[in-house]
Amino acid sequence: MRGILFAVSAIIVMALGYWAYSENYKTQDALREAASLQRAIGVSRETLSVLEAEWAYLNRPQRLHDLAALNFERLQLLPITPEQFGDVVQVAYPPREIIVPELSQPVDVIGDLEVTQP
């Protein structure tokens, strides 16, 4: 009986050792993947900041003005003036249609009232 107990205990200890070993490697893989994702996020943020700087550089008002003047004959672009904007009252909104259904019989909206038929 004692031998069986030692054998079962040894098998349980080996199974727990194998489980701990596999969990350790799973944890190390997850940590490596997290570090890889953090590096990818850092690279993406750096790329985004470079692209934002390029966008700001390309959208400088003086550069856009020079491009509009250079291509005036082809594009016919003119500066925006306040007279080109409209007022909100000038916007034609569609008319509202309110639809109210006709009820021929009383409707129980609460659920615990008894509706009587006339």
Side-chain angles (χ1 to χ4, degrees), residues 1-2 15 19 41 50 53 67 73 81 83-84 89 102 106 110:
M1 183 68 173
R2 187 180 244 183
W19 173 79
I41 289 171
V50 168
L67 285 174
E73 291 183 15
T81 61
E83 293 82 27
Q84 292 173 326
V89 295
E102 292 290 328
I110 297 177

Side-chain angles (χ1 to χ4, degrees), residues 2-118:
R2 187 180 244 183
I4 294 175
L5 183 62
F6 285 146
V8 169
S9 298
I11 290 172
I12 290 175
V13 167
M14 286 189 293
L16 287 174
Y18 177 76
W19 173 79
Y21 179 79
S22 66
E23 288 299 314
N24 181 28
Y25 277 96
K26 287 179 188 176
T27 303
Q28 288 177 2
D29 288 341
L31 289 173
R32 268 190 241 106
E33 184 179 352
S36 172
L37 289 173
Q38 288 294 333
R39 281 191 297 276
I41 289 171
V43 169
S44 296
R45 284 186 177 164
E46 183 179 338
T47 302
L48 180 62
S49 65
V50 168
L51 290 173
E52 286 174 347
E54 287 178 359
W55 180 259
Y57 178 76
L58 293 174
N59 281 325
R60 292 181 323 243
Q62 184 59 41
R63 179 182 173 274
L64 295 177
H65 182 269
D66 293 343
L67 285 174
L70 181 68
N71 296 305
F72 177 75
E73 291 183 15
R74 190 169 52 128
L75 299 175
Q76 300 292 314
L77 295 175
L78 296 174
I80 297 175
T81 61
E83 293 82 27
Q84 292 173 326
F85 294 99
D87 291 330
V88 175
V89 295
Q90 294 174 330
V91 177
Y93 291 106
R96 278 197 198 171
E97 294 180 19
I98 300 175
I99 300 172
V100 179
E102 292 290 328
L103 299 175
S104 60
Q105 295 186 4
V107 177
D108 180 17
V109 293
I110 297 177
D112 55 354
L113 294 178
E114 189 173 316
V115 177
T116 58
Q117 297 292 330

